[in-house]
Amino acid sequence: MSPARNTGARNAPRTQPAATARKAAATHKRRSKEGTSTPDPAGGHRTELLEAMLRIRRFEERCVELYSAAKIRGFVHLYIGEEAVAVGVNEALTAEDAVVSTYREHGHALARGITCEAVMAEMYGRTTGCSGGRGGSMHLFDAGRRFYGGNAIVAGGLPLAAGLALADRMRDRPHVTCCFFGDGAFAEGEFHETANLAALWRLPLLFVCENNLYAMGTALARHEAQTDLTMRAASYGMVAWTVDGMDVEAVEQTARQAVEGIRAGSGPHFLELRTYRFRAHSMYDPDRYRDKEEVEQWRSRDPITVLTDRMRRAGVPVDDELARLEQQIATEVDHAVDAADRAPEEPVENLLNHVTSSPRG
């Protein structure tokens, strides 16, 4: 995971076509079995990482059930399989740092500390949701936690992140702005404009590209002439890494290095997190652009399994921890669903609030 300016270290799978993705997943599986059983000095922290990933996974699995029951409506983009990215990156940030997300942001919001209850209520469109029931799945927002969306436009969050980073620098605040986006954003001008200005002005901005190999249903190699995203980011003069996005500890370690560099004044950093979504692009997506063998190869690199296997090798009684965490999180999610079911909808007479200005008295 060495930083690069013209090339990036390759410790995660290259993209496309399907045969390449399957081969890469198999390679990762072999690597995950390496290592010896040694005492785990980070057992407590690993349990925290495990808990955070399990919370995202179980929350989203319940969302699938609720969507099928028509309790949740509209577009829903699941994060299942990518949990290591959200958890690892957020571990490197402080409460004062800012996060800008995408429409696949449930995992980012939960990892940031927004409660299951607030996110579930928002999924229901209830007034107790983190966006007052007005945002839904794609527009989670919590200014108190400096979580600025949820943005439904591909690459739309990047200019906003640059503005937040610029504001912090102009006010001499030692904060970092982290912007999540997908590999599809590389096809948008907003990425290149933001990368150029961030590097030119040395903004405290962390670019986090969640490369899950597909922009909706289009493989990276089918829409980008140059698929080495780390090299392209480095061409703007910023430090760039490629990271195994299925390994939460690798993500956290590299994100911490990047954040430290940004705080030290070395300008923006770029992380390409090679990951994979186990579910379709959205609940409406028939998922016909990839074969089952590819998906199963990547499921063998489930980030939760990668971490629990590592904990077992280190002698941590992870099975007991798993049982405890599963019960705790199930109760937490059940409570969130019950609260959302009971939460009020916005009265019709309030629908123009925050949309039009109030009449002068």
Side-chain angles (χ1 to χ4, degrees):
M1 295 180 293
S2 300
R5 291 206 177 265
N6 294 312
T7 60
R10 284 288 172 264
N11 63 348
R14 288 187 176 273
T15 58
Q16 286 68 55
T20 305
R22 291 194 299 270
K23 181 178 179 181
T27 299
H28 276 306
K29 184 176 181 180
R30 289 194 299 270
R31 289 178 182 175
S32 70
K33 294 181 178 179
E34 296 173 358
T36 58
S37 296
T38 57
D40 179 17
H45 183 57
R46 283 176 169 170
T47 299
E48 293 172 353
L49 297 175
L50 177 60
E51 177 182 350
M53 290 195 292
L54 277 173
R55 178 173 290 106
I56 296 169
R57 179 71 59 88
R58 301 301 176 239
F59 179 91
E60 293 219 312
E61 289 172 346
R62 181 62 70 84
C63 286
V64 173
E65 298 174 10
L66 295 167
Y67 187 91
S68 300
K71 293 289 188 73
I72 295 173
R73 299 176 182 272
F75 284 97
V76 174
H77 304 82
L78 298 172
Y79 201 67
I80 294 173
E82 301 186 24
E83 295 90 350
V85 174
V87 172
V89 171
N90 272 280
E91 283 293 320
L93 302 173
T94 69
E96 291 74 30
D97 295 328
V99 174
V100 179
S101 186
T102 69
Y103 49 74
R104 196 184 306 280
E105 87 277 35
H106 311 153
H108 303 152
L110 293 170
R112 185 63 180 169
I114 303 177
T115 65
C116 285
E117 184 173 337
V119 176
M120 187 62 77
E122 190 61 38
M123 301 288 283
Y124 271 57
R126 302 300 172 90
T127 57
T128 54
C130 58
S131 300
R134 297 218 167 193
S137 171
M138 294 194 289
H139 299 282
L140 305 177
F141 190 94
D142 190 330
R145 289 180 172 82
R146 299 204 75 196
F147 186 82
Y148 300 109
N151 195 305
I153 306 300
V154 174
L158 284 155
L160 302 179
L164 289 165
L166 178 61
D168 281 336
R169 197 188 69 178
M170 293 178 69
R171 295 176 181 178
D172 293 322
R173 297 188 297 208
H175 305 329
V176 170
T177 296
C178 169
C179 186
F180 292 94
F181 56 98
D183 51 282
F186 268 81
E188 302 295 328
E190 289 93 337
F191 169 76
H192 301 282
E193 294 164 353
T194 303
N196 179 62
L197 286 179
L200 181 66
W201 295 342
R202 302 184 69 79
L203 297 182
L205 180 55
L206 177 62
F207 292 87
V208 178
C209 178
E210 297 180 302
N211 183 2
N212 60 24
L213 313 186
Y214 295 93
M216 296 182 68
T218 304
L220 182 65
R222 296 184 183 277
H223 70 84
E224 293 294 327
Q226 173 54 265
T227 60
D228 189 335
L229 304 185
T230 308
M231 184 177 71
R232 294 179 65 187
S235 72
Y236 287 100
M238 69 178 80
V239 178
W241 281 282
T242 294
V243 189
D244 180 358
M246 307 302 275
D247 183 340
V248 66
E249 292 185 295
V251 174
E252 179 185 1
Q253 176 187 356
T254 313
R256 287 190 183 279
Q257 292 174 354
V259 168
E260 289 172 4
I262 294 169
R263 292 197 204 283
S266 60
H269 284 50
F270 174 92
L271 301 181
E272 179 194 7
L273 285 301
R274 296 289 184 89
T275 185
Y276 198 83
R277 50 177 168 80
F278 296 163
R279 304 285 301 221
H281 168 71
S282 73
M283 292 296 292
Y284 285 106
D285 179 11
D287 201 9
R288 295 174 180 169
Y289 44 82
R290 55 187 188 176
D291 58 52
K292 293 182 180 179
E293 183 182 356
E294 176 186 321
V295 177
E296 288 307 309
Q297 286 280 4
W298 279 93
R299 282 185 181 277
S300 71
R301 281 287 295 160
D302 188 317
I304 293 173
T305 303
V306 168
L307 181 59
T308 54
D309 286 349
R310 185 175 295 156
M311 293 171 73
R312 287 189 184 96
R313 292 196 302 271
V316 177
V318 68
D319 294 319
D320 293 340
E321 286 296 327
L322 269 173
R324 179 185 66 81
L325 291 173
E326 290 283 14
Q327 183 176 8
Q328 171 190 318
I329 292 168
T331 301
E332 186 178 337
V333 174
D334 285 344
H335 175 76
V337 174
D338 291 341
D341 279 326
R342 296 192 307 270
E345 296 181 346
E346 188 169 20
V348 173
E349 56 269 24
N350 292 349
L351 291 183
L352 292 181
N353 289 356
H354 315 297
V355 176
T356 62
S357 59
S358 302
R360 295 182 179 179

